[in-house]
Structure formats: structure tokens, C-alpha cells
């Protein structure tokens, strides 16, 4: 027997265990960050008890944070916190996956990349607020159509689109990953229902926006968009719980 034989075997057995430790240690911070981000992303429900002057059935959620709104600062702050928390949680999870080859599975990497993009774009949204409320202010709507509003309106549209694109990628990819790789059991069970509902809410919102832009009314644009963002928050909460329960990403 080679004198080096006994000393080599333990090192081969220890390697997988040691490589899994960073992911296990990151699980709790990821779950906390994503969970807090989900909670902050539902701050718009405060409009139920606060007097905003905006009709939640007809208006964009982002109009709550418009510069001409008395509570705009509050909603911009909560949006920024939600985005920053989701970005940090997604990036931490993504880095954990990329560090370990055995965890680098395409659907999981794509999903966490989507969550990270969602967080970054949502935080950017808070720094690119609308200057006025086009769904309730005809003058604002006319100025927006004529291109006479600040450039932040166009930038806000881009960042909002990126945020929802990231959310949809994360929702679909991580739900597929949970089912395909046998991970994150709560997400694997309940995620598909939220995926279907989110896609339907997104279709409703995009259709209503197109009709409003064409001058054909709002078509309950606000209700559709609020359902859309509520489902994103619920899915993020489910993701956080799933990560916490499994203790690994």
C-alpha cells in the first residue's frame, strides 16, 4: 500500500462537503434579503389607508411616486429599498451558484440573474420618477404625448420594463429550476400557479397600457398592474421561504 493512500482518501471525501458550505451559509442572508424586498415591494398597498387622491383601478402604481404627489417621497423610498434588497439577495445567490460548478445549472443561474436585474431596475425606478400623473392629468398626458415631459419619463419606462422583464425571467426560470432539479420544495409546488397568474396579469397590463397610449381609456390599467406587482411580491415571498426552508441556494 502506498504511504500516501490513507491521507488522500479523506481529502477527496471532504471536497464536496467543503464546497457546499458557502451556499449553506448564504441561504439565510438570501432568504432575509429577498423576504424584506418582497415586503417593501408591497408598500403601495398603503394607498388603502392613506389619502393619495389617485384611483387604484385606473392609475399606474408608479404614479404614487410621481414628483408632484404629496406622498411621492415615501413611495420612492420604499421602491428603492425593495429594489436594493432584491438586488443584494439575487446577487448573493447568483455569486454562490457561479462559485461552485456543481450548482451552476442553467435554469437556476438564469432565474437568479433575473431577480438581480429586477432588483437593480426597481431601485433605478426610484431615481427616475414621473414628473406628473398622465392617467389623471390631461395636461400631463398631452405633454407626455408631445414629448414635453422630462427625460425621466422615458428613462422610467425603460427601467420599469427592465424590472418586469427581470421579474418574469426570475419567476419562470426559478420555478422551472425548482421542479426540474428537485429543489426549493414550496416553490416547486406553488410556483406554477403564480407563474400562470403573473403571465395573465402581465398580458392584462400590457393590453391596457397599449389601449391607454392609443387614447382608448385606461381599461382598469391600475387594477391589472397592481395585480401584476402583487403577484411578483407574493412569488418573492415564496422564494424567500423556500430558500430559508432548504437552507441552500
Amino acid at each position: 500500500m502506498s504511504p500516501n493512500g490513507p491521507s488522500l482518501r479523506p481529502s477527496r471525501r471532504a471536497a464536496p462537503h467543503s464546497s457546499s458550505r458557502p451556499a449553506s451559509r448564504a441561504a439565510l442572508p438570501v432568504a432575509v434579503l429577498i423576504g424584506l424586498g418582497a415586503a417593501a415591494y408591497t408598500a403601495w398597498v398603503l394607498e388603502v389607508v392613506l389619502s393619495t387622491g389617485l384611483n387604484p383601478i385606473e392609475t399606474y402604481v408608479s404614479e404614487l411616486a410621481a414628483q408632484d404627489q404629496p406622498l411621492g417621497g415615501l413611495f420612492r423610498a420604499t421602491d428603492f429599498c425593495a429594489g436594493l434588497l432584491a438586488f443584494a439577495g439575487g446577487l448573493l445567490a447568483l455569486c454562490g451558484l457561479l462559485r461552485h460548478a456543481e450548482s451552476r445549472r442553467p435554469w437556476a443561474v438564469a432565474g437568479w440573474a433575473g431577480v438581480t436585474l429586477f432588483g437593480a431596475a426597481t431601485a433605478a425606478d426610484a431615481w427616475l420618477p414621473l414628473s406628473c400623473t398622465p392617467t389623471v392629468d390631461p395636461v400631463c398626458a398631452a405633454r407626455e404625448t408631445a414629448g414635453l415631459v422630462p427625460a425621466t419619463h422615458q428613462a422610467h419606462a425603460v427601467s420599469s420594463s427592465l424590472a418586469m422583464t427581470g421579474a418574469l425571467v426570475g419567476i419562470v426560470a426559478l420555478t422551472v429550476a425548482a421542479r426540474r432539479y428537485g429543489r426549493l420544495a414550496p416553490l416547486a409546488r406553488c410556483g406554477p400557479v403564480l407563474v400562470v397568474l403573473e403571465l395573465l396579469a402581465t398580458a392584462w397590463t400590457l393590453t391596457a397600457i397599449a389601449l391607454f397610449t392609443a387614447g382608448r381609456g385606461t381599461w382598469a390599467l391600475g387594477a391589472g398592474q397592481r395585480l401584476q406587482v402583487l403577484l411578483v411580491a407574493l412569488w418573492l415571498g415564496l422564494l424567500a421561504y423556500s430558500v430559508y426552508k432548504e437552507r441552500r441556494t
Side-chain angles (χ1 to χ4, degrees):
M1 178 183 294
S2 167
N4 292 329
S7 62
L8 288 174
R9 286 174 189 162
S11 65
R12 282 197 296 264
R13 286 195 301 268
H17 177 71
S18 62
S19 68
S20 68
R21 282 180 183 171
S24 296
R25 286 197 298 268
L28 183 58
V30 168
V32 171
L33 289 167
I34 297 296
L36 290 175
Y41 198 57
T42 61
W44 56 269
V45 301
L46 291 173
E47 68 181 339
V48 174
V49 295
L50 298 176
S51 179
T52 65
L54 298 176
N55 183 349
I57 304 298
E58 307 294 340
T59 59
Y60 290 112
V61 176
S62 55
E63 288 178 299
L64 292 168
Q67 290 178 321
D68 67 348
Q69 293 302 297
L71 297 176
L74 169 64
F75 292 110
R76 288 194 294 274
T78 55
D79 277 352
F80 179 71
C81 289
L84 195 62
L85 289 163
F87 172 75
L91 187 62
L92 182 59
L94 187 60
C95 289
L97 289 179
L98 296 179
R99 263 199 310 267
H100 305 292
E102 69 275 10
S103 300
R104 209 175 300 151
R105 294 171 172 174
W107 285 105
V109 171
W112 284 113
V115 172
T116 304
L117 172 61
F118 161 77
T122 299
D125 254 2
W127 293 96
L128 301 167
L130 299 174
S131 64
C132 52
T133 53
T135 62
V136 295
D137 183 353
V139 174
C140 177
R143 289 176 58 220
E144 193 172 62
T145 301
L148 300 177
V149 290
T152 51
H153 278 243
Q154 289 73 34
H156 181 86
V158 172
S159 60
S160 294
S161 297
L162 287 174
M164 194 48 60
T165 297
L168 289 172
V169 169
I171 288 171
V172 172
L174 282 177
T175 300
V176 171
R179 295 180 66 83
R180 176 167 291 192
Y181 307 142
R183 302 284 302 277
L184 306 173
L187 182 61
R189 285 195 306 271
C190 304
V193 174
L194 290 178
V195 168
V196 172
L197 292 175
E198 178 63 28
L199 293 176
L200 290 173
T202 299
W204 174 5
T205 302
L206 292 176
T207 301
I209 290 174
L211 290 169
F212 173 69
T213 303
R216 299 182 181 179
T218 60
W219 291 83
L221 185 158
Q225 194 180 51
R226 281 162 177 75
L227 177 60
Q228 184 187 39
V229 298
L230 177 61
L231 289 167
V232 171
L234 290 174
W235 183 88
L236 287 171
L238 178 63
L239 174 64
Y241 172 69
S242 301
V243 171
Y244 173 77
K245 187 172 182 181
E246 188 165 291
R247 296 294 202 284
R248 55 189 177 125
T249 58

